[in-house]
Amino acid sequence: MKRKVLAVLVAGTMAMSLAACGGSSSSTASTTAAATTAAAAEAAGGEAAEVETAATDWAPSTTVSIVVPAGAGGNTDLSARVFAQYAKEITGNDFIVVNSNGASGSVAANQVLSAAADGHTFLYGHALVNVANIAGITDYNYTAFKLGPTFAKDPAQGLYVNSEKYADLDAFIEAAKAALGQLKACTEVGAYTYYELLAFEKAAGIDLDLIDVGSNSDKITAMLSGQCDLMPGSYINTKDYVEAGQFTCIGVPLEERSELIPDFPTLKEQGIDLVYPDCDFSFYFPADTSDDVITFYENLVQQMLANPDAQEGIANVQMTPYYLSAEDSAKNEEDMYATIKAIADELAN
């Protein structure tokens, strides 16, 4: 595999986290998500829609730890807190978010892998162990866990530049071609954004200097200080800077524009043939977790996503309610792993 040598940029605390992405969905998964969206729409009048749940005898008997492989304030952390809030409202049980960032998500992943398989500890995130495995950071991928349901979706991360430096995608590419290997792009070792940037370089015919910055907040700091020229990011983390005129989104690697960010052009519509997986946020349990536990969480997520207040909570963190069953989540992970692995393998040739 092609590996760029990444410089380390000091831009605040250098805690690496996997606060990045998710996978492409299968047709079955898309059908399931569409059904859930329909149920959510039915609830829009203010009443929670009824959902048909499966039978299970299991329920939490103590506090549930939601282990998040990221620091506070990013899309992973904020959406986990929405889940924790409404999970407590529905069940009466305490759900707490445990921020455990480091080593491209593997610190959090290892914490969950070593936890008791009793349903009281699970990993929450997107793309997680898959990207770390592809990067050679871990020797396991999603198959080391038992997949639970998927809860929310964030579009593939857009590419942001300093508005004073670059007006649009064409201006950035022109500058990059005039200074091959000199324009700096923020990323993280073994993270979703690393492979997104490598794919962007190839599709655009440019060469960037990929800088290992760390967390989302560190990326923002590096951009604001002028130390970086390009940053992949989720909208929740960049919204204020876009509205203030400091950042411009020069393109999003989607097939078509997202309803969440309709004013942001896709790379594809601008002639750059790049579509990258969305960020689908799922639950990962220790491998020996029982089916009853998984069924409980499938039921809980379906009930939550039929609640208009919970839908609004997810929308407030610039994400979309998105339900996949545990089975469809596992298929989604398989597809996502194959997609990112193919990008990595192609770039290695």
Side-chain angles (χ1 to χ4, degrees):
M1 180 189 306
K2 172 189 175 185
R3 294 188 184 279
K4 282 204 169 207
V5 176
L6 302 183
V8 177
L9 176 62
V10 178
T13 303
M14 302 307 294
M16 290 183 297
S17 66
L18 189 65
C21 73
S24 57
S25 59
S26 64
S27 57
T28 303
S30 298
T31 301
T32 308
T36 303
T37 303
E42 184 180 339
E47 296 290 332
E50 292 186 9
V51 295
E52 185 174 341
T53 57
T56 178
D57 294 328
W58 186 87
S61 58
T62 187
T63 299
V64 175
S65 295
I66 307 169
V67 182
V68 171
N75 54 355
T76 308
D77 172 76
L78 292 173
S79 58
R81 293 181 189 278
V82 172
F83 174 82
Q85 174 188 343
Y86 289 98
K88 181 171 183 178
E89 287 188 13
I90 292 171
T91 68
N93 199 75
D94 287 328
F95 290 75
I96 62 168
V97 173
V98 179
N99 297 101
S100 185
N101 54 335
S104 297
S106 61
V107 171
N110 289 335
Q111 182 176 334
V112 171
L113 286 174
S114 63
D118 60 5
H120 294 98
T121 303
F122 63 86
L123 186 67
Y124 173 81
H126 49 80
L128 286 177
V129 291
N130 287 330
V131 185
N133 175 255
I134 291 168
I137 294 170
T138 64
D139 59 1
Y140 56 84
N141 63 10
Y142 74 97
T143 58
F145 297 84
K146 187 160 187 175
L147 264 292
T150 297
F151 171 66
K153 177 186 283 290
D154 201 5
Q157 296 200 6
L159 300 177
Y160 295 85
V161 298
N162 187 304
S163 301
E164 293 184 354
K165 287 185 177 181
Y166 311 103
D168 52 26
L169 178 65
D170 288 341
F172 180 81
I173 291 178
E174 181 180 352
K177 288 183 175 179
L180 285 177
Q182 295 181 44
L183 298 193
K184 293 177 171 56
C186 302
T187 187
E188 302 165 70
V189 173
Y192 159 95
T193 57
Y194 176 62
Y195 292 103
E196 178 182 8
L197 287 171
L198 289 179
F200 174 61
E201 284 182 313
K202 182 170 183 177
I206 59 177
D207 185 28
L208 301 172
D209 183 10
L210 305 190
I211 305 297
D212 181 3
V213 172
S215 69
N216 284 322
S217 60
D218 292 328
K219 291 187 182 76
I220 297 289
T221 300
M223 288 289 291
L224 292 174
S225 67
Q227 294 171 292
C228 277
D229 298 281
L230 179 73
M231 183 192 84
S234 58
Y235 184 52
I236 186 63
N237 296 319
T238 57
K239 178 176 182 288
D240 290 344
Y241 302 99
V242 171
E243 292 178 351
Q246 294 170 286
F247 291 174
T248 295
C249 181
I250 59 173
V252 186
L254 298 172
E255 188 68 44
E256 56 187 30
R257 293 196 185 197
S258 167
E259 293 181 1
L260 286 174
I261 44 176
D263 294 332
F264 291 179
T266 67
L267 292 173
K268 198 166 185 178
E269 71 185 71
Q270 300 178 87
I272 304 298
D273 189 14
L274 174 60
V275 175
Y276 202 63
D278 289 333
C279 302
D280 296 342
F281 290 80
S282 305
F283 302 168
Y284 306 72
F285 293 85
D288 294 332
T289 300
S290 74
D291 290 341
D292 277 346
V293 169
I294 301 302
T295 298
F296 170 85
Y297 283 99
E298 288 179 322
N299 292 344
L300 179 57
V301 170
Q302 289 183 82
Q303 289 175 305
M304 194 179 299
L305 296 188
N307 181 331
D309 291 336
Q311 296 168 37
E312 183 178 0
I314 296 170
N316 286 341
V317 296
Q318 310 301 323
M319 294 169 65
T320 303
Y322 186 69
Y323 174 76
L324 298 179
S325 68
E327 181 180 358
D328 286 340
S329 293
K331 180 63 171 70
N332 195 37
E333 288 285 318
E334 180 183 2
D335 292 346
M336 187 279 297
Y337 183 82
T339 298
I340 305 293
K341 183 74 164 57
I343 290 172
D345 290 345
E346 181 182 3
L347 293 168
N349 297 327

